[in-house]
């Protein structure tokens, strides 16, 4: 598809110079830039990795066996 875009002369010259340095046509250079812009807009934003911060110094209370489901259930129900 063909289209016409209007660029300020000094901007066009900068684009032409960069395209030439990369061995590309102005059209290919502009198309590549627009593809990168569209891809960046479609990508989800980067997030900080999720970090769990333990409450109360970290780890279970002394004497709690994390492999004993019955004991853990009693503790969660308020019996331990």
């Amino acid at each position: 598809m063909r289209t016409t875009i209007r660029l300020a002369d000094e901007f066009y010259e900068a684009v032409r110079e960069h395209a030439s340095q990369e061995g590309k046509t102005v059209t290919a250079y502009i198309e590549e830039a627009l593809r990168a812009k569209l891809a960046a807009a479609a990508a989800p934003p980067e997030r900080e990795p999720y970090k769990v911060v333990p409450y109360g110094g970290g780890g279970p209370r002394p004497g709690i066996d994390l492999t004993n489901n019955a004991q853990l259930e009693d503790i969660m129900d308020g019996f331990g």
Side-chain angles (χ1 to χ4, degrees):
M1 171 183 272
R2 289 181 169 265
T3 190
T4 301
I5 59 172
R6 297 174 196 265
L7 303 173
D9 291 342
E10 59 276 357
F11 183 67
Y12 175 78
E13 289 303 320
V15 170
R16 189 180 61 77
E17 181 67 29
H18 282 267
S20 176
Q21 289 174 0
E22 293 185 19
K24 298 177 182 174
T25 65
V26 170
T27 299
Y29 188 83
I30 291 172
E31 184 175 327
E32 181 180 302
L34 290 174
R35 284 183 191 279
K37 181 70 174 178
L38 290 173
E46 290 190 25
R47 295 181 173 178
E48 294 280 329
Y50 185 76
K51 182 178 179 183
V52 176
V53 179
Y55 175 77
R61 293 189 318 220
I64 295 179
D65 181 6
L66 295 178
T67 62
N68 184 332
N69 289 340
Q71 182 188 26
L72 292 173
E73 189 174 305
D74 286 345
I75 292 169
M76 290 189 298
D77 289 338
F79 300 118

